[in-house]
């Protein structure tokens, strides 16, 4: 069977670190509250010249370098993002131009914090079907440019970042993307939204701005996330014929340490097999899982042959999980 094998990783985050302490001067919050409720200590915040594509291009170049693939060899670029440079053209096209991938098609996938899960499924399915051989999969978001910096219930949660995976066709091996589940419940759309700048509330013309930035019903999303994370993991493991004990590394979406721990508990996976970096980056949405995979591999926690379980959830509502033999 042909599989989509991960052959290289890349990441990029803005250099500016914003600590919880710094946020105390912006909104009525405290380092203690943020740390206790979310596990976040600091996050990276983009400057005015940084965009989703500028981070994605750096991450993409690193993944290409590490896999020793030339940009001209790419046949598809899939970018999971909901905070692209602009409504159109797609961020993937800006990446395609930025890295000189002259033979590649390019598409964005809009699945918020599950954007990378969905994007990896698109790329691996294209590879398995024979449509593509060399795919670049990127998860990137820049939510700090979309939050209302006067709303303490949301602005403390997010950070910016991009992660990239090079995935290539591999014949008859047992390594690669084994299975993905993708789930959605659009009846929960109102629980996290950024309604401005689309066809409902266009950025120009007679704009009736319903909110200053993204809005979120935190406790509703929390409840959903706790169930969704565990459900998606159990389902992908079950469909692929594995059990949670066989997972070498669990790389969940980094939104909130308490949500991660509840999924970990349900699956019975010990601490040493759970990757956590929410303390340093906050919730980077689509960037979170590929950044986690990058850091896990670069720090030696993820080795060829390891069974990796990823899971994500977010605005949509959407959720899903990938099972990968690294
Ligand atoms: O990737 C998907 C994106 N979204 C998420 O993952 C979010 C999921 N939800 C969460 O992570 C949590 O619900 C939050 C971290 C957002 C909030 O934690 P919580 O334990 O559910 O707190 P809460 O919303 O129930 O709020 C408790 C209190 C409230 O005060 P009162 O009404 O009890 O007096 C809030 O006003 O905490 C207050 N609060 C804050 N206090 C200090 C809310 N935000 C802050 C803040 N600093 N930044």
């Amino acid at each position: 069977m042909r599989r989509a094998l991960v052959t290289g990783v890349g990441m990029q985050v803005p250099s500016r670190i914003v600590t919880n302490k710094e946020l105390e001067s912006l909104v009525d919050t405290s380092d203690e509250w943020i740390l206790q409720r979310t596990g976040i200590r600091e996050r990276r915040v983009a400057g005015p010249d940084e965009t989703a594509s500028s981070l994605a291009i750096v991450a993409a170049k690193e993944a290409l370098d590490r896999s020793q693939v030339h940009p001209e060899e790419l046949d598809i670029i899939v970018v999971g993002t909901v905070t692209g440079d602009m409504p159109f053209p797609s961020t993937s096209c800006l990446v395609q131009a930025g890295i000189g991938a002259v033979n590649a098609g390019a598409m964005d996938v809009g699945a918020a914090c599950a954007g990378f899960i969905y994007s990896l499924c698109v790329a691996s399915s294209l590879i398995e079907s024979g449509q593509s051989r060399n795919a670049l999969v990127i998860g990137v978001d820049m939510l700090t440019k979309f939050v209302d910096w006067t709303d303490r219930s949301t602005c403390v949660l997010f950070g910016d970042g991009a992660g990239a995976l090079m995935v290539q066709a591999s014949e008859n091996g047992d390594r690669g993307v084994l299975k993905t589940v993708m789930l959605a419940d659009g009846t929960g759309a109102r629980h996290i939204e950024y309604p401005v700048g689309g066809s409902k509330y266009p950025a120009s013309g007679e704009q009736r701005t319903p909110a200053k930035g993204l809005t979120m019903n935190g406790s509703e999303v929390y409840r959903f996330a706790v169930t969704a994370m565990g459900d998606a993991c159990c389902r992908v493991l079950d469909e692929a014929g594995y059990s949670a004990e066989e997972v070498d590394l669990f790389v969940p979406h980094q939104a909130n340490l308490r949500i991660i721990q509840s999924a970990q508990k349900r699956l019975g996976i010990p601490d040493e097999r759970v990757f956590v970096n929410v303390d340093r980056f906050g919730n980077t949405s689509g960037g979170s899982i590929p950044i986690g995979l990058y850091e896990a591999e670069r720090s030696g926690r993820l080795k060829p042959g390891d069974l990796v379980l990823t899971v994500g959830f977010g605005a949509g509502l959407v959720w899903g999980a990938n099972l990968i033999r690294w």
Side-chain angles (χ1 to χ4, degrees), residues 41-324:
R41 291 177 188 276
E42 59 188 40
R43 72 285 294 137
R44 300 300 179 104
V45 175
D49 296 334
E50 286 173 307
T51 63
S53 74
S54 73
L55 296 187
I57 287 168
V58 178
K61 285 180 176 167
E62 185 181 357
L64 285 167
D65 274 357
R66 292 194 184 282
S67 57
Q68 299 194 315
V69 172
H70 292 287
E72 313 88 69
E73 294 176 82
L74 286 175
D75 40 37
I76 188 74
I77 299 169
V78 187
V79 176
T81 188
V82 286
T83 56
D85 291 29
M86 45 191 124
F88 60 87
S90 64
T91 296
S92 53
C93 279
L94 304 177
V95 173
Q96 189 252 3
I99 63 175
V102 290
N103 298 308
M107 68 170 100
D108 285 6
V109 171
C113 302
F116 178 78
I117 305 269
Y118 272 58
S119 298
L120 186 59
C121 183
V122 170
S124 60
S125 303
L126 290 172
I127 286 174
E128 287 159 16
S129 72
Q131 174 76 33
S132 304
R133 289 200 65 80
N134 296 315
L136 190 59
V137 186
I138 300 169
V140 58
D141 271 308
M142 199 162 267
L143 277 161
T144 66
K145 296 205 184 188
F146 293 76
V147 293
D148 172 358
W149 283 99
T150 63
D151 175 10
R152 69 175 183 174
S153 70
T154 53
C155 74
V156 303
L157 304 174
F158 298 100
D160 304 324
L165 255 58
M166 183 65 218
V167 281
Q168 299 186 264
S170 155
E171 308 294 337
N172 303 321
D174 57 358
R175 291 169 55 209
V177 179
L178 304 181
K179 194 90 203 166
T180 298
V181 295
M182 296 183 288
L183 298 149
D185 176 9
T187 65
R190 68 188 180 285
H191 295 318
I192 321 179
E193 59 177 13
Y194 182 79
V196 184
S199 52
K200 188 169 183 183
Y201 300 107
S204 58
E206 272 186 39
Q207 187 191 341
R208 289 163 296 137
T209 309
K212 275 167 78 184
L214 78 82
T215 57
M216 180 173 73
N217 181 340
S219 49
E220 197 66 49
V221 175
Y222 189 95
R223 264 196 302 279
F224 148 72
V226 165
T227 310
M229 293 266 267
D231 286 353
C233 290
C234 291
R235 192 153 153 183
V236 79
L237 285 165
D238 190 47
E239 287 183 11
Y242 287 91
S243 66
E245 295 91 79
E246 293 171 276
V247 171
D248 294 299
L249 194 66
F250 180 41
V251 184
H253 171 46
Q254 308 283 315
N256 184 322
L257 186 60
R258 288 150 62 208
I259 297 175
I260 293 172
Q261 286 168 340
S262 75
Q264 174 188 356
K265 197 170 160 202
R266 175 157 164 205
L267 295 166
I269 299 180
D271 285 354
E272 61 274 18
R273 286 195 233 147
V274 180
F275 188 83
V276 175
N277 63 7
V278 69
D279 51 325
R280 288 179 291 120
F281 297 121
N283 180 350
T284 57
S285 184
S288 145
I289 291 168
I291 289 173
L293 292 169
Y294 175 96
E295 290 204 316
E297 180 180 286
R298 300 304 300 152
S299 64
R301 285 186 70 185
L302 195 47
K303 295 176 203 66
D306 280 353
L307 189 66
V308 191
L309 174 64
T310 69
V311 65
F313 64 90
L317 301 164
V318 289
W319 65 109
N322 313 115
L323 194 64
I324 310 164

